[in-house]
Amino acid sequence: MTQTELIHQTLHTLAYLGVREVCVAAGARNAPLVSALLACSGVKIWNFFEERSAAFFALGRIMADRKPVAVVTTSGTAAAELLAATIEAHYQNLPLVLVTADRPKRYRGSGAPQAIEQAALFGVYATIVGDWDVTDESHEGHCSDGPMHLNVCLDEPLETNVAGVDFSAAQSLPASEEGPPSPLRCDLVLAAGMHPKDAAEAAALLARLGAPIVAEATSNLHAFTELKPLLIPGGERALQSSRPAHVLRIGAVPSWRWWRDLESHPKVKVTNITRTGFSGLARTENVETLGWESIRSAEFSRVDPPCGILRFEPEYGKFPESEPAWISKIANAIPAGSRVFIGNSLPIRELNLAIQTARPGVEFFANRGANGIDGLVSTFLGASAIHEGECWLLLGDLSALYDLAAPWAISQMDHPRLRIVVINNGGGKIFSRVASMRALPDAARSVIENRHALGFEPWAQMWGLEYLQTNDANDLEDLLPVPMVIEIRPEPLQTEAFWKDWQRPVIRPR
Ligand SMILES: Cc1ncc(C[n+]2csc(CCOP(=O)(O)OP(=O)(O)O)c2C)c(N)n1
């Protein structure tokens, strides 16, 4: 096989897998693939100077449009930079296609420049579609769920004059079949991490079921007015008041502490309906995990007696400058038709509490596969790239510092209404909410929280983004139609006071 044939085989495989967008980070070894891709039709190319952003951006594209997206790297540690996004894609079961150019197989184990062991680099996190070299007789790519890895070994001379292929001419893969109906019972629903289209399917079922629902913002269930009477405000606090016998969890693994504590309550039955295949619990007793198709085929009924869950509304007015109140004010300022990406750590928890204050018609996304604080700006940009409404990112300061290179992609997006909101509380303040850490001496807490006094204006300036720092929520209305960084600095004493007030013990009425 010639190098040209090997490259064509790679392009056809991508087209067959359903890839219509590719994020490239170029080097010398992958130049043949990159130049061939640029000569292709029916495929959109995004370009990056570093691979980590490229992979997280691809992840965001997949989350938004639910179609496979590829990322193409050169050899060596460039390929290794894809690992974190691949792990996130694995736990979200998203078809991230990794194409890594490699040196020829005879270099393996030699220590020659840029010859690392790429073939099984992603371990359990990606299915190997192929490890191809011109000396191989035949190349058969296999499709799977979740991330897929295609390692392509290219020898010198590198062929950079390969004709492109037409991606749109490729056949798409067949859809999966539905299972037989099965009976399901529950007295409490937990919902998290659903694409808005999945949320619409789930909403129809949940409205018929009539059981109380504790839903995270990313469940996207708050958009459905028919669910209003069933959606219980108060998050963790509400959950603590409940005594369910059978929990139905739909979508991603919930971020509530209460969910983690279900590990030690084996009598509480848990049924998961998820696209990921992961139960999200280490215990297996009384836990079942079903595929998404059961949302259509299962016959649901409510268990009696009811689980007794109580409703709680946070009193933001008492602590208006606290961080949770700020998240609520931001949620309320985001216009209908917007797409919101929520950072991990405190923002996602605070938004779950404040979701009732969000306007209808807003979509929510987050990286809750492995809960990393890395790649969040890049994932947000990928998820926003072709959304027509406003796109908002709410994230912590350390999370923003983690992804300073991400705005590289903005100049390729025809998108003036990006709002990157950094909640700058001067470090990883989630750790000040963990009881065991609060007991540590201040010097240790300072290291664990990575306390700092950095601001984000120079970052915005570097990338030519508008910058706004405000302590007036009215400034968040009718923002200019330009990409902007918005920095919010909540008042720490009010934040502390808010949580103290919110975490007082739940007293059940007799
Ligand atoms: C890649 C990665 N590294 C470390 C962590 C552990 N971690 C969880 S939250 C957090 C602090 C986040 O700080 P920030 O983004 O400022 O948010 P805040 O806690 O203030 O809400 C860290 C380091 C992680 N989740 N992901």
Side-chain angles (χ1 to χ4, degrees):
M1 167 174 295
T2 64
Q3 191 174 111
T4 299
E5 285 166 339
L6 178 58
I7 288 165
H8 274 161
Q9 176 83 42
T10 305
L11 298 176
H12 282 299
T13 302
L14 292 182
Y16 164 76
L17 292 175
V19 169
R20 298 292 179 271
E21 290 183 50
V22 181
C23 301
V24 300
R29 189 63 45 179
N30 70 349
L33 281 166
V34 173
S35 60
L37 273 163
L38 290 169
C40 289
S41 54
V43 61
K44 160 91 185 150
I45 309 295
W46 302 94
N47 109 273
F48 295 82
F49 76 91
E50 56 94 24
E51 297 75 16
R52 196 171 66 162
S53 296
F56 276 109
F57 183 92
L59 185 78
R61 298 291 315 115
I62 302 166
M63 284 167 84
D65 290 6
R66 303 208 286 184
K67 300 207 177 88
V69 175
V71 50
V72 177
T73 75
T74 199
S75 59
T77 55
E81 296 294 339
L82 307 182
L83 181 62
T86 304
I87 292 172
E88 181 62 28
H90 173 78
Y91 286 108
Q92 290 195 43
N93 199 19
L94 295 178
L96 177 64
V97 183
L98 315 163
V99 183
T100 52
D102 197 355
R103 298 197 74 184
K105 290 182 182 174
R106 64 177 186 278
Y107 283 81
R108 290 185 184 168
S110 69
Q114 273 193 283
I116 70 163
E117 301 308 309
Q118 284 181 209
L121 189 59
F122 303 103
V124 297
Y125 295 111
T127 305
I128 297 174
V129 174
D131 176 23
W132 298 340
D133 183 306
V134 285
T135 60
D136 293 330
E137 297 253 304
S138 74
H139 297 136
E140 268 186 38
H142 298 285
C143 183
S144 73
D145 278 352
M148 290 164 263
H149 180 202
L150 185 48
N151 193 51
V152 185
C153 305
L154 300 168
D155 207 350
E156 278 138 53
L158 295 165
E159 179 60 77
T160 50
N161 200 15
V162 178
V165 303
D166 181 6
F167 272 62
S168 51
Q171 281 179 349
S172 49
L173 296 167
S176 61
E177 306 241 316
E178 284 191 17
S182 52
L184 274 177
R185 291 154 56 76
C186 79
D187 54 353
L188 178 64
V189 178
L190 292 188
M194 278 188 272
H195 188 278
K197 287 185 182 152
D198 283 352
E201 267 192 282
L205 162 104
L206 295 174
R208 280 200 308 278
L209 177 65
I213 308 165
V214 180
E216 302 203 0
T218 54
S219 72
N220 284 304
L221 288 178
H222 293 85
F224 299 91
T225 46
E226 66 270 31
L227 295 183
K228 258 221 155 91
L230 301 174
L231 288 165
I232 306 291
E236 198 82 70
R237 199 162 157 78
L239 283 167
Q240 274 164 19
S241 74
S242 71
R243 298 287 176 270
H246 190 158
V247 172
L248 170 64
R249 165 215 144 196
I250 305 188
V253 175
S255 59
W256 313 113
R257 169 82 239 172
W258 190 84
W259 171 264
R260 296 177 186 220
D261 293 341
L262 272 183
E263 275 317 343
S264 45
H265 296 286
K267 292 228 165 64
V268 179
K269 187 166 173 159
V270 178
T271 300
N272 298 292
I273 298 186
T274 169
R275 285 189 181 277
T276 68
F278 292 110
S279 81
L281 288 172
R283 76 158 146 110
T284 49
E285 187 187 345
N286 253 336
V287 176
E288 62 180 342
T289 303
L290 309 173
W292 186 257
E293 45 320 320
S294 34
I295 206 106
R296 290 166 218 138
S297 58
E299 291 155 9
F300 287 88
S301 58
R302 224 175 340 151
V303 184
D304 275 328
C307 71
I309 193 163
L310 304 174
R311 297 168 165 263
F312 295 92
E313 306 274 359
E315 294 179 82
Y316 294 120
K318 275 166 63 181
F319 315 97
E321 303 309 320
S322 67
E323 187 168 322
W326 261 107
I327 294 281
S328 156
K329 288 188 269 191
I330 297 165
N332 188 248
I334 296 175
S338 299
R339 177 168 286 175
V340 179
F341 196 93
I342 316 161
N344 287 323
S345 204
L346 292 172
I348 193 160
R349 294 175 169 84
E350 291 162 342
L351 188 67
N352 285 338
L353 208 55
I355 184 64
Q356 267 77 11
T357 37
R359 297 183 191 176
V362 176
E363 298 175 341
F364 295 92
F365 291 86
N367 271 352
R368 293 303 292 174
N371 310 340
I373 59 162
D374 46 349
L376 296 175
V377 185
S378 299
T379 315
F380 158 70
L381 292 175
S384 309
I386 54 173
H387 182 68
E388 293 197 342
E390 293 203 3
C391 291
W392 290 66
L393 170 63
L394 271 59
L395 84 172
D397 43 277
L398 294 187
S399 305
L401 288 171
Y402 223 118
D403 210 8
L404 293 179
W408 175 269
I410 293 179
S411 65
Q412 298 165 60
M413 296 164 58
D414 181 19
H415 204 310
R417 287 177 294 162
L418 300 170
R419 285 80 175 82
I420 299 175
V421 184
V422 182
I423 311 294
N424 190 354
N425 53 23
K429 282 292 178 284
I430 195 165
F431 299 124
S432 70
R433 306 244 48 75
V434 179
S436 55
M437 310 255 181
R438 287 171 76 93
L440 290 171
D442 199 55
R445 287 179 62 179
S446 172
V447 169
I448 289 169
E449 290 175 17
N450 283 298
R451 289 182 192 161
H452 66 83
L454 300 167
F456 288 82
E457 187 167 12
W459 182 50
Q461 240 167 24
M462 178 183 176
W463 294 105
L465 307 174
E466 202 63 34
Y467 173 81
L468 168 71
Q469 189 193 327
T470 183
N471 49 20
D472 180 355
N474 291 320
D475 289 348
L476 303 178
E477 303 280 346
D478 301 321
L479 294 169
L480 289 174
V482 292
M484 26 191 354
V485 171
I486 301 170
E487 184 167 347
I488 305 290
R489 292 173 181 248
E491 213 289 294
L493 294 176
Q494 286 201 20
T495 302
E496 211 38 54
F498 172 91
W499 287 120
K500 207 165 168 203
D501 186 60
W502 180 248
Q503 282 165 346
R504 65 190 188 278
V506 171
I507 299 163
R508 293 182 61 82
R510 289 182 181 270

